[in-house]
Amino acid sequence: MRVVMPLFLVVGLALTAWVGWAIHLQGLFGVLVPYLAALIFVVGFCVKVVDWAKSAVPFKIPTTAGQQKSLPWIKHAKIESPFTTGQVILRMFFEVFFFRSLFRNVKGELRSGPSLIYGPTKWLWLSAIMFHYGFLMVILHHLRLATYPVPGPIALLDKIDAMFQIGAPPIYLSSLLLLIGVVALFLRRVLIPQVRYISLVNDYFPLFLIFGIVVSGMLMRYFVRTDIVAVKALVMGLVTFHPVVPEGIGAIFYIHLFLVCCLFAYFPFSKLMHMGGVFMSPTRNLPNNNRAVRHVNPWNPKVKLHTYEEWVEDYRDKLEEAGIPTD
Amino acid sequence: MAVPKPNELLKIDHKPPKKWWMDTKPTFRPGTYSYPSKPKNIEILDMWNPREWSPTDEDWKLPEDWKERILEGFRDLLKKYRSLKVFMDICVRCGACADKCHFFIGSGDPKNMPVLRAELMRSVYRGEFTKAGQILGRWAGARELTYDVVKEWFYYFYQCTQCRRCSLFCPYGIDTAEIDLAGRHLLNLVGCNINWMMEPAANCYKVGNHIGIQPHSLKDMIDFFVEDIEDLTGVKIEVPFMKKGAEVLFVTPSGDFFADPGTYTFMGYLMLFHEIGLDYTMSYYAAEGGNFGFFTGTIENAKKLNAKIYAEAKRLGVKWILGGECGHMWRVVHQYMDTLTGPADFLEVPKSPITGTVFENARSTKMVHITEFTADLIKHGAIKLDPSRNAGIKATFHDSCNPSRGMGLFEEPRYVLKNVVPEFYDMPEDTIREKTFCCGSGSGLNNDEFMEMRMRGGLPRANAVKYVRDRYGVNTLSCVCAIDRAVLQPLVNYWVPGITVTGVHELVGNALVMKGEKKRTVNLRQEPIPGMEEEEGDV
C-alpha cells in the first residue's frame, strides 16, 4: 500500500491536469498554478531554512573522519578532519558535489565461520550521482525556455548533452541519466528488504512524481510533438510577469507542467529539503578545532555544582584521618 | 544471566519481519535491556520521577502528565539543538546507515537500523508537530506519542551506544547520537533511565568517581599501586594528590583505579610521570574523567560532573590538564568541555615541561590527551623504551568510537604502540580508525544484565580481532578507553578466546626503562616476560 498509493496519487495528479486542459482551464494550469507553486516553493523553502537557523548550535560536534591536527609531525587529514574554515568549505564541497559520505559506503556480510566481510559498494552513490546531476542538467536545459537570447553556457550545454546523435531530435544524455537514476533509486527501494521496510509514502511519492515528470517531458520531446514556440512564449510570459496563454499547446505539456508545480509546492514540506539541510548539518559544517577555538553555547545551562567545600564537609573526618589536606 | 552460546547467537536474520514496524512492540527479554535507575540516584542528580519500577511491568508509574512533559521537552530541544531539528526533517531513508550499526549486524532487529531508531522519534515529531502528519497520520510516516511508544523508546534508545558510526556514512551527517541523547533526555523527564548510567553519574557528582570509592579508600588503593610498582621495578615512586601549585592536573577515568586491566594502565601512567619527573597532581574531588552524566542526554548532568575538573584545576592552581585513556571522556573534553564549563582562562596553553612542545591544538581547552603527550616524549627521545619487555606480544589497536569520530585521534596511540611492542598489526581497514566498530557496551550499557546484546553488538569488533588473530597470531588487543578495557575482555573471551585486552600505557609501563630499576622478569601483571625469566644465580 505504501507503494501503490503514491503511484495512484501521481496518476491522479496527471489526470487532473489533463481534465483541466480538456475543459479549457489553460489559464489556471498554465499561469495561476505555476505562480502559486513558485510562491509556495520560495516562501516555504526560506521559512524552513530560517526556522532551522533559529535553533541554536550549542556544541561543535563534527564527525571526524580523519586524523586531527595535533603534533606538527603527525599528518593532519585536512579535508576529513578540517581545522580551519577553508578546510570546512572543502569538506562541504566534496560532500555536496561528490557525495563524499555515500562514496565511503561499505557493505558488510556475515558469512559462516563466523566471518564478517566488508567491501566497497558504490551502487547507491552511482544512482544518486546520476539522478542529481541528471536533474541539474535538465533544469539548466530548461533555462533556454526562460531566457532570450539563450546565454552561451546554456547553449553549449545543449550541444554537449546532445553529442550522442541517437535519433532525431537527439536524445539528451541528461534526461537518460535522470531516468536511469530515478528508476534505480526506486528499484533499490522496493528490492532491498531493509530499505523497503523503512520506506514511507513520503519516499515513493517524490520518486513517482519525478518519474512522471521525466516521462511526460521525454514524451513531449521525442514522441508527442509539441509546439515549442508556443511553450517558450508561455514560459517567457511567466518569467517576465506578462503571462500569456498561447493556443495549441497539447495536454501533455500541461501534465508535465502541473507535475513540476506539484513537486515545487511539495518540496518545502518534505524530505526533499535535504537540499538545504545538507548545508546546515553540524556534524559536517563545523571545524574540528574544538580544543583550540572555543565555541559558545547561547543557552549554556547553569547547574548546581557539588563544590569542593561541600565535598570536604561530607568527608572531613575521613580526609583528616587519612592525612588528606582539606584547605 | 546466561548468554546463549556463540553458535546460538549467530542465528541472525537480517530480513525484516512481515509486520510493519509501527505495528510491532519490543519484548523486554532478559539480556536485552538494562535495569532502571534506583530512586536515590535520580534524587542525588535532582532529576525527575524517582520510583521503583521494572520495564517488564505493565504500569511504568509515569507521572500523570507524562505526555505533556515529553512533548514540552521535545519542543524545547528542537529550539536548543539545530542538529536535532534538521535531522528530524532531512532524512531521505536511503538506508546507507542500516548495516553500519553493530547492534543491527549482531541482532538483525530492524529497529536497530539507525534510520529506524531515528524514525521512532521522527514519527512522533511528524505526528505531534507537523500539520501534514496530524492530517495524514501513517501515510505521512507519522504517529501519536503513546504509552507504548515510550516503552519502545526506552528499549531502543538504551540499545544505542552513541558510537556515531552511522553518522560517518550518512550523506547528510545525520548523527544518531544526537537523536539518542535527545531521546534519553525525554525519557529522563518522565523518570525512565537506567541504573548503570545514573549510579556512576550520581557517585561522581557526590563522591568524585564513578564507583563511589571514598577518598580515604582511594588513597589506600593508590598506596597499593605504589607498592606493586616498587616490587616490580625496585623504584619507589610518589603519587601526588591534592598538591597545590603543581604544574599539571592529571585526570583519568576512575575505572583505572579499581578494575583490572585498567589498573595496569594506571600503573603505566604513574611510572611514566615518575620517570620524566613531571610536576603533577591528582585530585580525590575531581578523580573522574569519564562522564556518565553525558550519556543521560540531559546536558546539565554532563556539566555537573565535568565542571569539577576546571574547578579543581583552578583551586589547585595548576597550569594545564592532562587526561588519561578514556573514550567518551575525550568526546566530552574535546567537543563539550570548553563550551560547557569554560573558558579556562585561568590556565596556560599546555606546554610539555620535558620537550618544550606547545600543544597548540589544546590552546583554549588546555587539556592534552596522554597519547599526544607520550607520543611527543617518544618523538623527542625523552624516554627510554625497551620493546623486548613486551616480548611475545603481538598487538592490534581498537580505535574507541569517541576519540575516533569525535576527535580524530588515530596516529598518536599507534605511534606510541609501535614504539613499545615488538609486533603490531592493524585490523582490516573497514573496521578501524573512523570506521571503527563499537565495543558494543558504550554509553552506559556496560552492565551485566545487558550481556546478550553486548555480545551481539560486539560481534563486528570481535570478528575483526579474530581476523588478525588467525592471520598474524595477534594475541593482544590494546585500546585507549576504560570502558573498552572492562568490556572487551569478556567480549573476546566469548567470540575469540586467547586474546588479552590492555591499555596503551600498560604496554608503555612494561617497556619503560627507569632510572635505578632492577632487572624486570615479570610484566605489570606479574606474568613472566619470555626471554627474561629469572636465571639461577640472579637475585
Side-chain angles (χ1 to χ4, degrees):
Chain A
M1 268 316 272
R2 295 199 302 279
V3 192
V4 180
M5 209 201 62
L7 177 64
F8 282 153
L9 199 57
V10 172
V11 172
L13 290 173
L15 283 175
T16 308
W18 182 74
V19 170
W21 171 82
I23 58 171
H24 305 292
L25 289 177
Q26 276 80 347
L28 177 65
F29 284 88
V31 178
L32 276 179
V33 169
Y35 274 137
L36 197 62
L39 190 71
I40 295 173
F41 175 75
V42 173
V43 174
F45 197 101
C46 294
V47 165
K48 192 90 222 177
V49 170
V50 168
D51 192 36
W52 285 337
K54 276 200 287 196
S55 291
V57 181
F59 302 104
K60 196 153 55 173
I61 51 159
T63 302
T64 50
Q67 173 63 39
Q68 65 165 349
K69 181 172 160 57
S70 66
L71 298 162
W73 48 273
I74 291 178
K75 194 171 182 295
H76 168 219
K78 294 193 175 65
I79 297 173
E80 303 287 22
S81 198
F83 192 82
T84 63
T85 309
Q87 290 163 3
V88 170
I89 290 170
L90 265 181
R91 184 183 200 191
M92 290 301 292
F93 173 81
F94 282 101
E95 196 63 85
V96 171
F97 286 94
F98 299 107
F99 305 174
R100 174 73 185 97
S101 296
L102 270 189
F103 191 75
R104 202 194 303 275
N105 205 1
V106 288
K107 193 176 160 49
E109 201 187 315
L110 182 60
R111 297 195 190 151
S112 61
S115 71
L116 269 162
I117 311 287
Y118 308 92
T121 170
K122 306 284 184 222
W123 288 111
L124 175 57
W125 175 82
L126 192 66
S127 314
I129 284 279
M130 288 201 297
F131 174 80
H132 286 88
Y133 274 96
F135 213 146
L136 178 66
M137 281 160 75
V138 167
I139 290 171
L140 291 177
H141 264 308
H142 279 69
L143 288 180
R144 97 205 118 96
L145 296 173
T147 46
Y148 185 82
V150 177
I154 305 290
L156 183 68
L157 180 73
D158 201 81
K159 284 218 176 65
I160 298 169
D161 208 355
M163 63 186 175
F164 295 97
Q165 277 280 352
I166 315 167
I171 289 184
Y172 280 144
L173 200 58
S174 55
S175 45
L176 269 185
L177 277 183
L178 176 56
L179 186 68
I180 296 169
V182 77
V183 170
L185 290 177
F186 172 74
L187 286 180
R188 70 179 292 280
R189 207 170 265 295
V190 285
L191 293 180
I192 303 173
Q194 288 89 0
V195 183
R196 188 169 61 234
Y197 196 68
I198 58 175
S199 294
L200 303 172
V201 172
N202 333 5
D203 299 313
Y204 293 110
F205 177 65
L207 281 175
F208 288 132
L209 197 55
I210 292 164
F211 183 76
I213 291 168
V214 178
V215 169
S216 57
M218 289 177 91
L219 279 176
M220 230 185 313
R221 183 166 166 83
Y222 306 115
F223 302 102
V224 190
R225 295 298 293 168
T226 308
D227 182 353
I228 194 76
V229 178
V231 168
K232 178 143 186 172
L234 187 142
V235 178
M236 287 303 290
L238 287 174
V239 298
T240 55
F241 296 102
H242 292 98
V244 285
V245 183
E247 287 297 309
I249 304 178
I252 188 77
F253 169 77
Y254 284 95
I255 291 172
H256 183 71
L257 182 63
F258 186 60
L259 294 182
V260 171
C261 290
C262 290
L263 184 69
F264 272 70
Y266 173 71
F267 201 100
F269 310 100
S270 72
K271 68 168 192 176
L272 303 178
M273 280 305 291
H274 67 263
M275 179 176 137
V278 64
F279 293 95
M280 301 185 82
S281 181
T283 62
R284 293 291 185 272
N285 69 9
L286 291 167
N288 178 29
N289 59 4
N290 294 59
R291 277 183 293 153
V293 181
R294 182 165 190 256
H295 179 85
V296 176
N297 175 3
W299 54 263
N300 207 26
K302 289 205 168 33
V303 300
K304 198 209 151 291
L305 195 64
H306 191 62
T307 63
Y308 174 76
E309 289 73 24
E310 287 166 327
W311 178 81
V312 166
E313 280 323 304
D314 290 349
Y315 298 105
R316 182 172 289 282
D317 295 349
K318 288 165 178 169
L319 290 170
E320 281 170 359
E321 200 180 316
I324 299 167
T326 53
D327 59 328
Chain B
M1 201 160 308
V3 177
K5 294 260 175 296
N7 55 350
E8 278 295 309
L9 220 58
L10 276 171
K11 293 176 185 158
I12 306 164
D13 186 4
H14 288 102
K15 277 230 167 67
K18 282 235 152 54
K19 231 182 192 181
W20 198 42
W21 64 268
M22 278 202 199
D23 299 316
T24 61
K25 284 191 215 175
T27 319
F28 285 88
R29 190 166 54 78
T32 67
Y33 67 92
S34 306
Y35 298 153
S37 175
K38 289 177 193 137
K40 71 169 169 65
N41 297 319
I42 298 184
E43 279 157 11
I44 289 172
L45 290 167
D46 197 17
M47 289 168 75
W48 308 276
N49 197 21
R51 72 207 181 285
E52 295 282 352
W53 66 288
S54 164
T56 51
D57 294 344
E58 193 60 37
D59 178 8
W60 282 20
K61 302 182 194 161
L62 301 185
E64 205 126 293
D65 58 343
W66 62 269
K67 189 168 173 174
E68 289 72 41
R69 282 198 201 193
I70 293 179
L71 292 180
E72 195 42 54
F74 202 163
R75 271 188 215 102
D76 184 45
L77 290 182
L78 288 168
K79 274 194 225 104
K80 283 181 169 171
Y81 290 88
R82 188 182 299 167
S83 53
L84 182 68
K85 188 156 187 169
V86 172
F87 297 162
M88 286 293 113
D89 283 325
I90 64 171
C91 174
V92 300
R93 285 162 296 279
C94 70
C97 59
D99 60 351
K100 306 304 177 288
C101 175
H102 50 283
F103 281 125
F104 178 65
I105 294 174
S107 75
D109 185 337
K111 288 180 189 174
N112 273 324
M113 290 191 270
V115 48
L116 212 42
R117 201 188 306 281
E119 285 293 316
L120 300 180
M121 192 180 230
R122 243 181 238 126
S123 53
V124 170
Y125 166 79
R126 294 189 202 105
E128 301 284 354
F129 301 141
T130 70
K131 279 272 168 312
Q134 278 156 359
I135 298 164
L136 297 169
R138 278 185 175 213
W139 294 114
R143 61 177 180 171
E144 228 185 301
L145 178 64
T146 63
Y147 214 94
D148 279 335
V149 168
V150 175
K151 292 183 173 183
E152 188 184 46
W153 279 11
F154 180 85
Y155 191 75
Y156 289 103
F157 290 154
Y158 292 108
Q159 265 191 21
C160 167
T161 46
Q162 305 170 353
C163 80
R164 304 169 97 217
R165 191 168 190 267
C166 47
S167 92
L168 179 76
F169 294 95
C170 174
Y172 317 118
I174 294 175
D175 181 359
T176 306
E178 288 292 290
I179 293 166
D180 194 63
L181 286 163
R184 288 185 181 189
H185 172 70
L186 299 183
L187 288 168
N188 270 321
L189 295 176
V190 293
C192 295
N193 34 36
I194 63 173
N195 199 54
W196 200 261
M197 195 176 74
M198 298 295 281
E199 188 153 315
N203 279 335
C204 187
Y205 180 64
K206 198 81 180 141
V207 190
N209 60 71
H210 282 166
I211 209 84
I213 306 168
Q214 301 194 352
H216 56 293
S217 313
L218 188 52
K219 185 168 186 288
D220 292 344
M221 293 168 85
I222 302 293
D223 291 344
F224 198 69
F225 289 128
V226 171
E227 278 171 33
D228 268 2
I229 291 170
E230 191 175 2
D231 286 349
L232 289 166
T233 65
V235 179
K236 177 139 179 77
I237 66 166
E238 254 183 75
V239 184
F241 264 85
M242 311 308 242
K243 180 179 156 194
K244 282 190 174 170
E247 186 170 354
V248 176
L249 171 66
F250 179 63
V251 181
T252 196
S254 61
D256 290 350
F257 305 139
F258 59 78
D260 293 347
T263 47
Y264 308 120
T265 299
F266 187 62
M267 287 159 74
Y269 306 141
L270 299 183
M271 290 157 70
L272 177 70
F273 298 157
H274 171 85
E275 183 56 26
I276 60 174
L278 186 68
D279 177 19
Y280 77 108
T281 181
M282 295 181 70
S283 163
Y284 297 110
Y285 166 70
E288 179 64 68
N291 194 323
F292 274 51
F294 177 73
F295 297 148
T296 65
T298 305
I299 198 70
E300 286 80 0
N301 286 331
K303 181 165 181 170
K304 276 178 196 171
L305 310 192
N306 181 256
K308 296 170 91 175
I309 299 177
Y310 275 154
E312 191 66 346
K314 193 170 188 177
R315 188 186 71 85
L316 293 169
V318 300
K319 288 185 180 159
W320 56 279
I321 309 169
L322 184 61
E325 296 180 11
C326 181
H328 74 279
M329 157 182 165
W330 272 97
R331 169 116 128 105
V332 175
V333 168
H334 188 75
Q335 297 197 329
Y336 289 80
M337 185 177 191
D338 205 355
T339 300
L340 205 52
T341 63
D345 42 17
F346 49 90
L347 297 172
E348 292 174 17
V349 177
K351 181 179 172 185
S352 171
I354 319 302
T355 65
T357 299
V358 177
F359 294 90
E360 289 291 345
N361 63 327
R363 163 166 287 281
S364 178
T365 308
K366 277 102 176 177
M367 188 152 173
V368 174
H369 193 283
I370 184 86
T371 61
E372 294 170 341
F373 181 73
T374 306
D376 174 66
L377 290 175
I378 297 174
K379 184 76 181 175
H380 284 85
I383 48 175
K384 210 174 154 201
L385 297 164
D386 178 5
S388 72
R389 302 239 201 105
N390 280 315
I393 286 182
K394 292 185 180 186
T396 188
F397 180 66
H398 163 68
D399 290 279
S400 306
C401 308
N402 285 296
S404 301
R405 288 180 287 264
M407 189 176 174
L409 182 95
F410 301 117
E411 288 307 326
E412 297 86 345
R414 282 181 174 77
Y415 181 79
V416 174
L417 274 170
K418 286 171 187 171
N419 276 283
V420 297
V421 295
E423 286 184 72
F424 176 83
Y425 301 95
D426 253 325
M427 286 179 272
E429 191 193 351
D430 290 327
T431 69
I432 54 167
R433 297 181 189 259
E434 71 276 6
K435 292 186 211 144
T436 190
F437 272 111
C438 182
C439 58
S441 307
S443 85
L445 305 184
N446 49 325
N447 57 69
D448 282 348
E449 68 265 21
F450 194 61
M451 196 56 88
E452 180 186 324
M453 278 312 285
R454 286 172 54 189
M455 295 301 113
R456 289 183 182 281
L459 171 64
R461 168 43 71 229
N463 206 256
V465 175
K466 182 171 176 287
Y467 179 84
V468 284
R469 183 197 67 177
D470 296 349
R471 199 176 172 104
Y472 306 112
V474 161
N475 55 17
T476 303
L477 175 59
S478 61
C479 57
V480 280
C481 171
I483 289 180
D484 281 330
R485 283 191 282 275
V487 305
L488 285 176
Q489 193 63 63
L491 181 77
V492 289
N493 290 350
Y494 183 84
W495 290 114
V496 255
I499 303 283
T500 306
V501 176
T502 76
V504 168
H505 277 76
E506 174 184 344
L507 300 171
V508 171
N510 280 335
L512 185 71
V513 179
M514 300 174 78
K515 286 182 273 298
E517 69 178 359
K518 64 178 187 188
K519 185 184 177 201
R520 290 213 218 159
T521 53
V522 292
N523 62 20
L524 295 184
R525 300 188 184 210
Q526 318 257 18
E527 297 159 350
I529 304 168
M532 298 198 183
E533 291 86 358
E534 230 163 314
E535 287 159 31
E536 260 177 88
D538 268 7
V539 184

